[in-house]
């Protein structure tokens, strides 16, 4: 998901990205582990063995509520990376984190009532140890086997070593969820995860509606992210999901200070800590323009960002026209029916043809055809199938075809993909400009 943009806003101060947190001032616990019978009280902390990560109680922003969370111990304590009791805050400083009799990691309030639990099967508590690892992962081990870990229960932050994605057997989608606000870590309105249709795309959803998508992964970059370069994506790897039945993106980097955070406003930011400025540097953010908002211009229409930052330009695709007669874009409807739909394409010299559009973020809802092995075969397969309305052959993926409405099309100012749109032959006529794109 990494990309570098030559804008003047790449560097954000920590005060713009995160709010300040009220953190404990008591001396840190001397180790990274929590054993049965040794509760961690409010004011004490665990620190990972390399001294990078810390776990303890905190209050976010202007709130006085208390939560158990993980933050950077070594350079940026204000960046809370994970919260246990997101929607079950403690109202005072009398809480504790401990291992219960059934072996679960639990948070207790001042009355010793459980407000949060790891919810694993009952285990011998004397064989259970919680440990904060050097990766920032909080693990619960029983007889040296990990039975629960925070990396499998993510919040709003994606760290190196984590995975996000879909279990194709159980259909469990492991997603990231924004905070409600900078003062409230309760689950907010936005989630980030992998598309359930197995299209290898990242999505940000607002509620149950798509807000942004990355485009398909081609093994090196996400096709829907403009000017994405492979040198900045060297941490992502897609699982062999057809064999493993798990569609996961794994993220690994040697620099542990990298993180992605899904902000309360629905923007996903890639940040890295810069020691020379003691500040957060933004490497990437999406959505960043109006055209990056999902299907901003509607079906069968393209979205082009304005150069002055004002409203984008919406235009119907070639061969489509607005049903609103120029007052607004309205709905983009096909101007002339495809020949294959009217007479099986038998009109002499006027059968369906393909029109090339360059520099595009490919539409959503594509079908991955495994049979064609090159562009020519992909074109032929689409032409033989009247329900195929467009195609694009992409290195690293193969033949993509579209049989439904064409949605979420962004015209890039540079880069982008070739897209072949099926039109009735009569759309071309004798127009030489169209013939330049005729296939």
């Amino acid at each position: 998901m990494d990309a570098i943009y030559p804008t003047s806003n790449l560097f954000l101060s920590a005060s713009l990205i995160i709010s300040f947190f009220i953190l404990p001032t008591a001396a840190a616990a001397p180790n990274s582990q929590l054993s049965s019978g040794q509760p961690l009280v409010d004011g004490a902390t665990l620190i990972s063995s390399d001294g990078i990560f810390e776990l303890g109680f905190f209050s976010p922003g202007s709130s006085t509520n208390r939560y158990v969370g993980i933050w950077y111990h070594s350079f940026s304590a204000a960046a809370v990376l994970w919260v246990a009791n997101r929607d079950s805050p403690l109202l005072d400083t009398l809480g504790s984190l401990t291992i219960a009799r059934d072996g679960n990691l639990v948070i207790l309030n001042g009355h010793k009532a459980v407000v949060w639990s790891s919810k694993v099967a009952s285990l011998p508590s004397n064989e259970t140890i919680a440990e904060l690892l050097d990766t920032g992962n909080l693990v619960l081990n029983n007889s040296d086997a990990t039975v629960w870990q925070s990396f499998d229960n993510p919040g709003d932050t994606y760290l190196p070593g984590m995975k996000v994605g879909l279990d194709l057997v159980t259909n469990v989608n492991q997603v990231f969820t924004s905070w409600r606000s900078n003062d409230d870590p309760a689950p907010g309105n936005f989630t980030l995860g992998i598309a359930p249709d197995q299209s290898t795309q990242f999505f940000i959803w607002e509620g149950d509606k798509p807000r942004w998508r990355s485009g398909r992964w081609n093994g090196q970059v996400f096709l829907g992210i403009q000017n994405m370069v492979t040198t900045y994506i060297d941490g992502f790897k897609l699982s062999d999901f057809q064999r493993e039945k798990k569609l996961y993106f794994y993220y690994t980097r040697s620099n542990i200070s990298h993180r992605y955070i899904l902000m309360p406003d629905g923007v996903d930011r890639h940040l890295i800590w810069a020691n020379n400025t003691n500040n957060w540097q933004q490497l990437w953010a999406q959505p960043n323009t109006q055209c990056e908002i999902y299907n901003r211009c509607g079906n069968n229409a393209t979205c082009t960002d304005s150069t002055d930052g004002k409203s984008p330009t919406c235009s119907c695709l070639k061969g489509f026209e607005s049903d609103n007669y120029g007052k607004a874009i309205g709905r983009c409807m096909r101007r002339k029916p495809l020949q294959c739909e009217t007479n099986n394409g038998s009109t002499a010299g006027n059968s369906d043809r393909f029109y090339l559009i360059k520099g595009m973020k490919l539409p959503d809802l594509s079908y991955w055809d495994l049979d064609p092995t090159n562009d020519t075969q992909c074109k032929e397969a689409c032409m033989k199938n009247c329900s195929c309305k467009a195609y694009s052959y992409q290195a690293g993926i193969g033949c993509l075809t579209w049989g439904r409405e064409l949605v979420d099309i962004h015209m890039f100012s540079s880069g982008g993909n070739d897209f072949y749109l099926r039109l009735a032959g009569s759309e071309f006529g004798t127009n030489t400009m169209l013939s330049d794109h005729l296939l």
Side-chain angles (χ1 to χ4, degrees):
M1 293 171 60
D2 301 14
I4 299 298
Y5 294 91
T7 69
S8 60
N9 296 320
L10 287 179
F11 299 92
L12 299 182
S13 66
S15 61
L16 292 177
I17 301 171
I18 50 180
S19 58
F20 290 99
F21 296 80
I22 303 171
L23 295 169
T25 57
N31 58 58
S32 61
Q33 295 184 346
L34 184 67
S35 303
S36 178
Q38 296 178 331
L40 186 76
V41 299
D42 195 327
T45 63
L46 299 179
I47 300 176
S48 65
S49 61
D50 64 0
I52 291 182
F53 296 99
E54 187 170 3
L55 177 147
F57 290 80
F58 76 100
S59 293
S62 60
S63 174
T64 58
N65 290 336
R66 301 297 282 171
Y67 300 86
V68 172
I70 297 171
W71 54 85
Y72 293 106
H73 170 73
S74 59
F75 55 84
S76 180
V80 173
L81 309 170
W82 179 81
V83 182
N85 54 321
R86 294 184 67 175
D87 49 9
S88 302
L90 297 166
L91 304 181
D92 52 41
T93 60
L94 301 178
S96 62
L97 178 70
T98 188
I99 295 176
R101 291 180 180 179
D102 63 359
N104 272 287
L105 188 64
V106 297
I107 298 174
L108 304 178
N109 63 19
H111 301 288
K112 305 304 178 185
V114 175
V115 300
W116 174 87
S117 170
S118 56
K119 295 181 181 179
V120 297
S122 182
L123 301 165
S125 61
N126 60 351
E127 298 178 9
T128 304
I129 294 176
E131 183 175 6
L132 180 61
L133 302 181
D134 295 336
T135 58
N137 190 14
L138 176 63
V139 298
L140 191 63
N141 292 328
N142 185 269
S143 300
D144 296 326
T146 298
V147 296
W148 178 92
Q149 57 183 341
S150 61
F151 274 17
D152 285 342
N153 299 269
D156 67 338
T157 300
Y158 193 12
L159 291 174
M162 299 183 77
K163 67 179 186 294
V164 59
L166 181 68
D167 188 314
L168 302 181
V169 177
T170 65
N171 286 324
V172 172
N173 202 355
Q174 184 167 303
V175 299
F176 294 83
T177 308
S178 66
W179 285 24
R180 188 170 295 168
S181 72
N182 287 334
D183 300 326
D184 186 356
N189 294 328
F190 301 96
T191 55
L192 182 148
I194 300 298
D197 64 0
Q198 303 180 31
S199 59
T200 69
Q201 303 182 93
F202 275 106
F203 269 79
I204 295 174
W205 294 276
E206 183 173 6
D208 59 357
K209 296 181 179 179
R211 172 175 168 80
W212 170 85
R213 69 183 177 95
S214 66
R216 284 181 180 263
W217 173 255
N218 72 356
Q220 294 183 310
V221 299
F222 292 98
L223 295 178
I225 298 178
Q226 186 171 195
N227 296 329
M228 192 174 195
V229 290
T230 58
T231 52
Y232 296 103
I233 199 63
D234 60 322
F236 281 95
K237 181 180 293 185
L238 179 64
S239 64
D240 184 359
F241 61 94
Q242 291 178 302
R243 180 180 61 84
E244 298 176 14
K245 302 302 179 184
K246 294 181 186 295
L247 181 57
Y248 286 129
F249 277 100
Y250 299 90
Y251 179 49
T252 57
R253 275 189 182 271
S254 57
N255 190 334
I256 199 67
S257 64
H258 281 267
R259 63 185 175 112
Y260 287 88
I261 177 171
L262 182 59
M263 304 297 289
D265 62 359
V267 175
D268 186 34
R269 302 187 187 278
H270 179 195
L271 308 174
I272 183 174
W273 182 256
N275 286 322
N276 59 332
T277 61
N278 281 334
N279 215 333
W280 288 105
Q281 172 185 337
Q282 178 177 295
L283 300 181
W284 179 90
Q286 290 282 343
N288 197 40
T289 70
Q290 281 292 308
C291 285
E292 288 164 357
I293 301 297
Y294 188 87
N295 209 25
R296 173 65 173 76
C297 288
N299 298 350
N300 306 314
T302 62
C303 186
T304 304
D305 290 306
S306 63
T307 56
D308 57 6
K310 296 181 179 180
S311 298
T313 299
C314 294
S315 304
C316 290
L317 286 167
K318 183 66 66 179
F320 292 77
E321 60 185 0
S322 172
D323 64 354
N324 212 19
Y325 304 103
K327 297 179 182 179
I329 191 169
R331 296 182 304 165
C332 291
M333 312 296 290
R334 189 178 288 275
R335 186 164 48 227
K336 297 180 180 180
L338 296 176
Q339 295 298 324
C340 68
E341 295 175 337
T342 58
N343 54 13
N344 295 319
S346 61
T347 301
N350 222 19
S351 61
D352 297 338
R353 307 171 90 167
F354 288 106
Y355 180 75
L356 170 61
I357 305 175
K358 287 181 168 292
M360 176 190 283
K361 175 181 180 177
L362 297 176
D364 196 13
L365 308 177
S366 59
Y367 171 74
W368 184 23
D369 191 341
L370 296 174
D371 292 331
T373 59
N374 56 49
D375 184 87
T376 300
Q377 292 179 8
C378 188
K379 173 190 173 184
E380 291 173 350
C382 186
M383 184 60 77
K384 291 177 182 178
N385 182 0
C386 189
S387 64
C388 181
K389 304 301 190 293
Y391 80 92
S392 180
Y393 191 86
Q394 295 292 323
I397 299 176
C399 182
L400 300 176
T401 61
W402 285 262
R404 293 174 278 182
E405 296 283 279
L406 301 172
V407 302
D408 191 33
I409 302 172
H410 181 189
M411 299 306 299
F412 290 163
S413 58
S414 60
N417 309 281
D418 289 350
F419 177 75
Y420 298 94
L421 176 64
R422 187 175 195 154
L423 297 175
S426 56
E427 285 284 358
F428 297 90
T430 59
N431 189 312
T432 56
M433 291 184 64
L434 280 177
S435 66
D436 290 338
H437 300 274
L438 200 60
L439 296 179

